[in-house]
Amino acid sequence: MTLKYPVERFVLMDSTCTAEFSSVYGEGFDSKIVGWDNYLRENSGDMYEKYVEKFPTMAEIPDVGSLDDNTFNAEKVIALNPDVVIMPNWEFMWNGDATKEALARMDQAGIPVVFLDFYMEPLENSTKSIQLLGKITGKEQRAQDIVDYYEEKVNSVYSRLEKIQGKKPTVYVECAYNGPDTYGISYGDVAWGDIVKKAGGDNIAEPVLLNKSKALSAEYLVNQSPDIIILTGRNWFTPGSLKMGYTFTSNVTKSTMTPFVNRPGWDTINAVENRKVYGIYHGYCSDVFNFVALETFAKWFYPEEFKDVDPVDTLKEYHRKFMPIDYSGTLVYRYY
C-alpha cells in the first residue's frame, strides 16, 4: 500500500510514541495526532500530564482503544480518516492475533500502517525508526539531528566498554508493576535484556527466557544472587508499584522501592548486600531514551570507567534540544 504525501493525520497505536513523534515533528505536532490508544494516559500518566499541561488540546484527542485489552475500535480509526496508523512491532509478540486482525481492517479501508521498533531490538532499530518518522513527517533533517545525537552517545559508551576486561556483573531486571508481593516480568534477550547485554552486563534471565519476557521465580533469583538489581518504575495505578517519572520525587521512588528490597530472601542477594539496587523509568525500554538507559546501565555496571558520565545531564540536554516538554521528576535512581 502506498503512503500518500503530505502526511497530515496520524493515529498512534502506541501513544507513548508521542515522545518520539513530538521530538521529530517539532512545533505543531499536537495538531497532527487525530487519534491514539490509552497507553500514555493509563500507563505513563506523568508524561501525559506534562504534555497536556503545555498542550491542553491533547486531552481531547480521541481514544481509539487498545489491542492490549481488546478495546481497539477499527471503525473509530477509519472514521478519523488518518493518512497513516503508527504501531509498535511489539504488538506481534504480545497481541499477535489482534494485530493481524487490525491490519486486515486497515488494509480493507485503504489506511497504511507503519511499524516502529524501540523495544524488540532497541539499540539496533531506534535510529531506523526515528529516520522513518522523519521521512513520513517530512522532517528528515530534524530526525537526522536526533539520530546523530543518539549515535554519539551510544558509540561513546561502546568505545569505553571495549577497553574493559574481566568478569561481567550479573544483572537482574524486573518490571515493578505488580507490587512487591508478585514478581513482575523480567527480560531475555529483548528490551531491557538487550540493553543489559549491550551495556556490558550478564543478564541472569536470558538463559531461561531466551527472547521472551516473563517473570522469574523468587527461588531462581535468590539462587543466582545477581551483582546488580534494576527495578523499573512508572506512574502505574497498581497498588505497591514502583513510582518513577516526570511527576515523582526521589523520596516517593525510595519509599515505593523499599518493600521490594525487603522481600524475603533479598537480604542474601549480592546486589542488596553490596548496596547495588537501582531504579529506572520503565518507558526507556520502549522509546528513544533507551540510549540513556544504555549510558545509565554502563555507569552502574562500571562506575569507575564511567565516573565522569551523568545520565541525568544527558536527559536534560536531550529535553532542551529535542523535547517540547521540560525534564523533571525522577527517571533514574540509586536506592542506597
Side-chain angles (χ1 to χ4, degrees):
M1 187 179 298
T2 303
L3 186 63
K4 298 178 181 178
Y5 289 89
V7 181
E8 296 288 341
R9 299 174 64 82
F10 295 80
V11 167
L12 305 183
M13 283 309 301
D14 175 10
S15 49
T16 58
C17 180
T18 299
E20 290 79 22
F21 184 81
S22 62
S23 291
V24 170
Y25 199 95
E27 186 177 355
F29 78 93
D30 50 313
S31 67
K32 304 301 179 182
I33 305 171
V34 299
W36 59 9
D37 69 351
N38 59 16
Y39 202 81
L40 183 67
R41 186 176 64 253
E42 297 297 327
N43 289 292
S44 305
D46 58 298
M47 183 182 286
Y48 175 81
E49 183 178 315
K50 292 281 285 188
Y51 271 99
V52 170
E53 180 182 6
K54 191 166 183 179
F55 307 97
T57 58
M58 292 183 72
E60 302 168 10
I61 297 174
D63 179 357
V64 299
S66 173
L67 294 171
D68 286 3
D69 57 11
N70 296 314
T71 60
F72 176 68
N73 189 325
E75 288 75 18
K76 194 169 186 178
V77 173
I78 294 168
L80 291 169
N81 192 32
D83 296 318
V84 66
V85 172
I86 296 177
M87 285 190 181
N89 75 345
W90 53 256
E91 291 285 13
F92 283 109
M93 179 175 72
W94 295 110
N95 310 290
D97 291 340
T99 302
K100 292 175 184 176
E101 183 178 340
L103 287 175
R105 293 298 306 277
M106 295 302 101
D107 186 59
Q108 290 170 1
I111 299 173
V113 177
V114 170
F115 281 88
L116 304 179
D117 178 31
F118 298 97
Y119 181 88
M120 298 300 291
E121 296 181 85
L123 293 164
E124 287 78 11
N125 290 338
S126 288
T127 52
K128 298 174 186 176
S129 296
I130 289 292
Q131 287 170 325
L132 182 55
L133 269 178
K135 189 171 183 62
I136 66 176
T137 58
K139 306 288 185 177
E140 290 165 286
Q141 184 55 57
R142 174 83 169 181
Q144 190 58 50
D145 290 343
I146 294 171
V147 167
D148 290 345
Y149 182 87
Y150 181 106
E151 290 183 338
E152 177 187 351
K153 294 296 184 180
V154 168
N155 290 336
S156 176
V157 172
Y158 289 158
S159 65
R160 295 190 188 207
L161 289 174
E162 287 176 356
K163 302 172 185 176
I164 298 174
Q165 303 295 322
K167 183 178 178 294
K168 297 179 179 180
T170 54
V171 183
Y172 169 71
V173 181
E174 179 185 343
C175 173
Y177 171 84
N178 291 319
D181 294 338
T182 303
Y183 276 67
I185 61 172
S186 193
Y187 305 81
D189 189 18
V190 64
W192 289 119
D194 183 65
I195 299 172
V196 167
K197 179 187 288 186
K198 296 294 196 310
D202 182 5
N203 176 20
I204 68 166
E206 185 174 347
V208 178
L209 301 183
L210 302 178
N211 64 344
K212 302 294 183 183
S213 301
K214 188 178 179 181
L216 298 176
S217 70
E219 293 76 15
Y220 179 79
L221 172 61
V222 172
N223 287 336
Q224 290 291 311
S225 191
D227 300 315
I228 291 171
I229 290 175
I230 300 170
L231 301 173
T232 72
R234 214 170 199 172
N235 183 41
W236 290 308
F237 300 136
T238 316
S241 61
L242 176 59
K243 303 300 184 187
M244 298 189 71
Y246 285 88
T247 59
F248 293 107
T249 65
S250 59
N251 287 338
V252 171
T253 298
K254 183 179 180 66
S255 67
T256 54
M257 187 181 288
T258 296
F260 289 88
V261 179
N262 290 338
R263 280 169 164 170
W266 276 40
D267 58 337
T268 67
I269 296 175
N270 286 335
V272 177
E273 290 185 333
N274 296 320
R275 303 167 70 87
K276 294 184 177 181
V277 179
Y278 305 92
I280 194 165
Y281 189 58
H282 184 73
Y284 291 172
C285 78
S286 58
D287 66 25
V288 70
F289 289 106
N290 55 55
F291 77 94
V292 182
L294 177 77
E295 190 177 81
T296 304
F297 286 8
K299 183 178 179 69
W300 289 342
F301 300 169
Y302 305 100
E304 188 61 29
E305 289 82 356
F306 288 87
K307 61 184 177 182
D308 61 324
V309 173
D310 188 339
V312 172
D313 284 348
T314 300
L315 279 168
K316 290 178 179 178
E317 183 177 54
Y318 185 91
H319 279 75
R320 286 195 304 269
K321 287 177 175 287
F322 303 114
M323 289 284 281
I325 61 173
D326 296 329
Y327 171 89
S328 64
T330 305
L331 299 164
V332 296
Y333 180 74
R334 179 170 184 168
Y335 181 71
Y336 295 101

